[in-house]
Amino acid sequence: MATINYKHSLSGEYLSEVYDKESFGLRLSNSDEMTLGDNSNARIDIHGTGFEYSNGKATAGIITSATFYDDSGHTLLTVEDAHIKASRLFAEMNKYGVNYLPWTLASHNDEVYGSNASDNITGGTGDDVIRGGAGGDYLNGYFGNDTLYGGKGADQFLFGTGWGIDTIKDFHDSGSDQDIIHLQYQSMWNSMVKHQEGDNVVLDFGHGDKLIIEHAQAANITMDDFQFG
């Protein structure tokens, strides 16, 4: 299981807003380390073994860790305990851009830690554990059966169709830190079946999609706890 640590909040930005697409590319290419960067000095330092290169891309080797920096030298996030082919990183970066790079590096079934500020965190396709931290975070487990911890602050939990079974461990339905469940479509609310299972509330959207809210009461989960679109 790889670990992603958010060190410096992106404040709602995407990585594509940090790294300039036109000038972004391979800046350093050694057998055990490489750097991807742009003309503003924003960069990604990548470590591993057996790196080989051709035409500005890595064609061989295994990536084990990476650190993402902005143009001021702030560490945005780190990926540790990774194990993916370097060639795959370049193939998926060419296909999807930089926004998905942390998840390409981490691969599947990852553990993600937010910073103490407001983070915008989207999971990958595996069964991820995402911990938002102290800020008002926007947490999107995406595909897979994910476990979400908002932490302190008024957090938003995004859930959509085809996303599996996600579990919110610490939903606050009232108070200054009231959290919100952000459904992908208004129609999901119309088809939702809500019921109590022991100490938990289960929101069943059909077709295998469920959102489990732990330590909650069904009567307290109302439309005021939701946003759409």
Side-chain angles (χ1 to χ4, degrees), residues 36-191:
L36 302 172
D38 63 18
N39 289 342
S40 73
N41 294 320
R43 72 185 197 276
I44 306 170
D45 291 344
I46 299 171
H47 294 85
T49 59
F51 295 151
E52 297 178 10
Y53 306 90
S54 178
N55 298 321
K57 299 179 181 179
T59 56
I62 297 295
I63 294 172
T64 56
S65 66
T67 303
F68 292 65
Y69 299 93
D70 66 12
D71 58 3
S72 297
H74 294 122
T75 302
L76 298 176
L77 61 94
T78 63
V79 180
E80 301 170 356
D81 300 319
H83 188 87
I84 74 151
K85 293 180 179 179
S87 57
R88 177 185 165 194
L89 175 73
F90 281 83
E92 297 204 9
M93 183 172 64
N94 183 62
K95 185 175 181 180
Y96 300 112
V98 298
N99 285 332
Y100 201 71
L101 282 188
W103 300 101
T104 300
L105 289 162
S107 188
H108 297 290
N109 303 337
D110 309 307
E111 187 131 8
V112 187
Y113 294 85
S115 71
N116 288 325
S118 298
D119 300 304
N120 187 336
I121 303 176
T122 298
T125 58
D127 300 338
D128 306 311
V129 179
I130 300 177
R131 303 175 187 271
D137 305 304
Y138 188 85
L139 306 181
N140 176 358
Y142 204 48
F143 296 124
N145 300 331
D146 306 303
T147 303
L148 310 174
Y149 295 83
K152 295 180 180 179
D155 305 301
Q156 292 192 51
F157 300 91
L158 182 63
F159 191 75
T161 58
W163 289 9
I165 301 174
D166 286 0
T167 300
I168 301 174
K169 304 290 284 188
D170 58 351
F171 187 78
H172 304 123
D173 57 30
S174 62
S176 59
D177 285 352
Q178 182 174 354
D179 298 327
I180 292 293
I181 296 170
H182 196 130
L183 297 180
Q184 187 180 23
Y185 303 110
Q186 170 82 48
S187 60
M188 294 178 68
W189 168 265
N190 300 328
S191 63

Side-chain angles (χ1 to χ4, degrees), residues 159-162 183-195 202-211 223 226 228:
F159 191 75
T161 58
L183 297 180
Q184 187 180 23
Y185 303 110
Q186 170 82 48
S187 60
M188 294 178 68
W189 168 265
N190 300 328
S191 63
M192 182 184 77
V193 176
K194 176 179 66 174
H195 63 274
V202 178
L203 308 179
D204 192 336
F205 300 95
H207 307 289
D209 292 327
K210 295 180 181 181
L211 189 58
M223 196 171 188
F226 293 83
F228 310 98

